[in-house]
Amino acid sequence: MNNLSFIKQYLKNPKTIGAIMPSSKYLAHKMIEDIDFNHSECIIEYGSGTGVFTEGLVKNKSEDTKLLLFEYNEDFCKLLKDKFGNEKNVFIINDSCENIDTYLLKYNINNVDYIISGLPFASLPQKISEKILTKTRKVLKNDGNFITFQYTLLKKDFIKRYFKYIDLKREFKNIPPAYVFNCVNCK
Ligand SMILES: C[S@@+](CC[C@H](N)C(=O)[O-])C[C@H]1O[C@@H](n2cnc3c(N)ncnc32)[C@H](O)[C@@H]1O
């Protein structure tokens, strides 16, 4: 899928897509560079889109690590299935990550180490964001990490309410430049 197709998806669903083009490889690197791939039982990605972050997750994860990809958009989901459908222990889910608990049961997952998110919290309805973050905190292990990017700091205080602390980085070589929030969970 090229950038024009991504823009088309954005024009159809601006609030849930939340960006006019996929993230850059630079941002993808910053999103995953702190993951301890050798000691992860389960990694989850919210809003995989065309799979820019997924590529690094699939490439670096151990074979036994379960990777669940949540993507709400049907066209993006088909693309993810074409790209990653044959990978071992990668499960591609065409549903909202609000329903994460159902899939943890389905795939027999008790421990979630990392949740990587491409969700556009700035444009998602507040109630949906609240539901997602409440469940995220519940399913992530103690000291597990929720890693998300945002183009501004407007939602920082809102996201901070759910976690012990946030470690902040910035990637200028993304269009537009983005902040990476590494949020540490506390149970
Ligand atoms: C800003 S795009 C990010 C795509 C990709 N991660 C990237 O960085 O290029 C946000 C993605 O989140 C998806 N999305 C939005 N709300 C969602 C939800 N509740 N559950 C799963 N995916 C969702 C959208 O369909 C879209 O693909």
Side-chain angles (χ1 to χ4, degrees), residues 16-17 19 22-23 47-49 53 71-73 76 95-97 118-119 149:
T16 51
I17 303 290
S23 297
S48 308
F53 304 156
E71 178 46 63
Y72 197 60
N73 179 289
F76 286 162
D95 195 356
S96 170
C97 52
L119 297 182
F149 78 88

Side-chain angles (χ1 to χ4, degrees), residues 31-126:
M31 287 289 289
I32 69 164
E33 67 182 354
D34 292 328
I35 297 179
D36 179 358
F37 284 103
N38 292 327
H39 300 100
S40 296
E41 274 176 52
C42 175
I43 301 172
I44 292 181
E45 186 182 7
Y46 292 165
S48 308
T50 54
V52 180
F53 304 156
T54 322
E55 275 168 30
L57 296 173
V58 168
K59 196 167 150 199
N60 289 290
K61 84 174 188 69
S62 306
E63 229 180 53
D64 291 343
T65 305
K66 288 181 181 168
L67 174 63
L68 267 59
L69 311 176
F70 283 89
E71 178 46 63
Y72 197 60
N73 179 289
E74 217 178 309
D75 291 338
F76 286 162
C77 212
K78 277 188 198 137
L79 183 85
L80 293 167
K81 284 187 177 153
D82 287 347
K83 280 189 180 174
F84 307 111
N86 291 327
E87 299 287 343
K88 194 171 172 210
N89 282 324
V90 175
F91 306 102
I92 302 159
I93 301 160
N94 187 199
D95 195 356
S96 170
C97 52
E98 289 161 84
N99 302 319
I100 184 169
D101 31 11
T102 309
Y103 294 93
L104 294 185
L105 280 175
K106 176 171 176 187
Y107 294 110
N108 199 17
I109 294 165
N110 302 310
N111 222 10
V112 179
D113 300 274
Y114 295 93
I115 298 183
I116 310 305
S117 169
L119 297 182
F121 287 108
S123 56
L124 288 182
Q126 180 84 357

